[in-house]
Amino acid sequence: MKAPYALVGAKVFDGQEIRSGLAVVVEGARVAEVVDDAKVLQGIERRDLNGGLIAPGFIDIQVNGGGGTLLNADPSPQGVRRIAEAHRRFGTTGLLPTVVTDAPHIIAEAMEAVRTAREEGAAGVLGIHVEGPFLDPRRKGAHAAQFLRKFTEADLNELSTANCGVVMLTLAPNLVPAESIARLAAAGVIVSLGHSDATATQAMDGLAHGARAFTHLFNAMSQMEGRAAGMVGAALASISSYCSIIADGHHVEDIALKAALAAKRRDRMILITDAMSSAGGGPDRFELQGRAVARHNGRLQLEDGTLAGSDLTMDKAVRYCTNRLEVALEDALRMGSLNPASLIGREDELGRIAPGYLASLIHLSEDLQVQRSWINGE
């Protein structure tokens, strides 16, 4: 094991509050202790960060691509690593590479790629998010209609035995039977509801049978009206469910996000990027299953104007929340770290800076630019 070291000279956000005058002592892959700077034992290397803020690393549970790589186009261990490396530069120390609706063999290859990448020690790869293909054609967004299909017993078996860390699945609760949702949840799959024209009752029934989250709130789902609450209404009314949001100024109007943040428990709101290959230094133009996607003033869209993911990174999402949505920095940081860790069942070792937790950390400047990152102490 490498010699322990102490990170000093920066404020520390421990997952609950921002504190000054502390040192974060790292030993191996984990935080050994968080102590008064003056109490660091002699002989431990001190690494002075010269200001800024140490915080838990970001966890992005919906990442289609980055750095010029798209998981659907390159479902390989190398592709998975390139996506993780691209987003690490922007503070993401844990992520779920995401495969969107596609042919069955592409989804299978993506799961195999994530499984192999994790076995090979790919830094920060926590599992996989399968978005589709069990979605509602009426709310398909940029998902290719020809690949949408019904959920089968074979799908249940494949997802239940994926063996690639966290397995998250976005599905339409009006098209996948509640019994199947219950069986997925019982097998450890994290079921999220999205891309659906479901009624509020259908969404609530999905939650009652084990679904735990809503995928990119407001986008590609039935909206809330006074006499038809829809998916959005169910998401905001349910106390325990999580809601992911894309805070980029393109997917959702600011006032709608502010309304959701006012209505929903802050510990149930999660920042995601829904990033495509253009994020983290990728090209302005690329193809998604043969369809052209272009970046226009930060907005990714198909030729017909349909939004097609984003070029967002997690640090931008945090800055957007604090600067545009007037979210407290502590809340914004939790939305990008502890809250997603809690959803995926890793809150006992990620999302906080405390003894025993993994040393997956970021150093932010005063204006919240990522200066450096550590994954499992490295």
Side-chain angles (χ1 to χ4, degrees):
M1 180 181 294
K2 292 185 178 180
Y5 59 88
L7 301 175
V8 300
K11 295 178 182 177
V12 175
F13 174 65
D14 60 10
Q16 294 297 323
E17 59 181 335
I18 296 174
R19 304 160 66 191
S20 299
L22 297 178
V24 178
V25 180
V26 176
E27 187 169 359
R30 298 184 181 270
V31 174
E33 57 182 350
V34 182
V35 298
D36 187 287
D37 188 349
K39 294 183 179 180
V40 176
L41 294 176
Q42 287 188 350
I44 292 181
E45 177 192 0
R46 296 170 63 90
R47 300 183 182 180
D48 194 341
L49 300 181
N50 296 307
L53 179 69
I54 307 171
F58 301 134
I59 299 172
D60 191 350
I61 60 172
Q62 190 163 348
V63 195
N64 311 295
T69 298
L70 189 67
L71 184 57
N72 281 69
D74 184 6
S76 68
Q78 295 80 10
V80 168
R81 284 195 293 273
R82 282 195 293 270
I83 293 169
E85 290 164 2
H87 284 275
R88 180 175 181 175
R89 292 187 292 118
F90 303 95
T92 296
T93 60
L95 77 168
L96 300 184
T98 302
V99 59
V100 303
T101 297
D102 212 318
H105 75 275
I106 295 294
I107 295 174
E109 288 173 17
M111 288 193 286
E112 174 64 26
V114 169
R115 181 164 52 248
T116 301
R118 282 173 50 80
E119 290 171 351
E120 294 173 349
V125 179
L126 303 178
I128 192 168
H129 183 165
V130 182
E131 189 187 14
F134 321 111
L135 307 178
D136 190 335
R138 293 169 293 181
R139 297 283 184 172
K140 62 181 176 60
H143 288 248
Q146 70 267 32
F147 296 124
L148 297 177
R149 58 185 178 84
K150 292 183 177 181
F151 186 80
T152 68
E153 189 74 16
D155 295 315
L156 175 66
N157 292 334
E158 182 177 40
L159 289 160
S160 300
T161 59
N163 190 31
C164 51
V166 174
V167 178
M168 185 171 178
L169 173 67
T170 292
L171 55 77
N174 55 324
L175 298 182
V176 177
E179 178 193 0
S180 297
I181 292 176
R183 293 176 66 190
L184 284 163
V189 176
I190 297 169
V191 178
S192 187
L193 309 179
H195 283 277
S196 172
D197 212 31
T199 65
T201 298
Q202 289 170 322
M204 287 294 198
D205 193 39
L207 295 176
H209 283 80
R212 300 185 57 204
F214 290 83
T215 294
H216 44 54
L217 183 66
F218 293 111
N219 297 115
M221 62 176 61
S222 48
Q223 300 300 297
M224 183 172 69
E225 299 178 14
R227 291 185 296 276
M231 291 269 284
V232 171
L236 297 180
S238 59
I239 295 173
S240 61
S241 68
Y242 293 79
C243 295
S244 67
I245 58 172
I246 307 171
D248 67 349
H250 301 292
H251 280 77
V252 186
E253 187 178 356
D254 286 0
I255 198 165
L257 286 176
K258 287 184 177 182
L261 288 163
K264 190 77 175 175
R265 287 170 49 180
R266 290 289 172 91
D267 66 349
R268 292 297 187 268
M269 297 295 283
I270 292 174
L271 294 175
I272 58 169
T273 63
D274 198 17
M276 303 295 268
S277 60
S278 61
D284 288 331
R285 296 177 179 274
F286 60 94
E287 285 197 351
L288 174 63
Q289 299 157 326
R291 298 167 293 163
V293 180
R295 176 165 47 194
H296 298 283
N297 297 320
R299 173 190 169 104
L300 297 185
Q301 60 187 47
L302 300 175
E303 290 180 340
D304 64 2
T306 301
L307 280 166
S310 84
D311 70 345
L312 190 62
T313 52
M314 286 292 283
D315 62 327
K316 287 182 182 178
V318 167
R319 291 195 296 273
Y320 194 92
C321 284
T322 58
N323 296 336
R324 290 285 295 272
L325 304 182
E326 300 174 321
V327 174
L329 177 56
E330 295 90 337
D331 283 336
L333 291 171
R334 277 190 289 267
M335 287 163 61
S337 56
L338 181 58
N339 296 359
S342 297
L343 172 61
I344 65 174
R346 298 291 298 275
E347 71 275 15
D348 59 341
E349 58 180 1
L350 291 171
R352 297 184 191 273
I353 301 178
Y357 276 70
L358 289 171
S360 291
L361 314 168
I362 52 175
H363 177 216
L364 301 171
S365 64
E366 295 295 337
D367 59 353
L368 304 181
Q369 302 288 333
V370 177
Q371 305 301 297
R372 68 199 77 188
S373 65
W374 297 260
I375 297 179
N376 298 345
E378 296 288 341

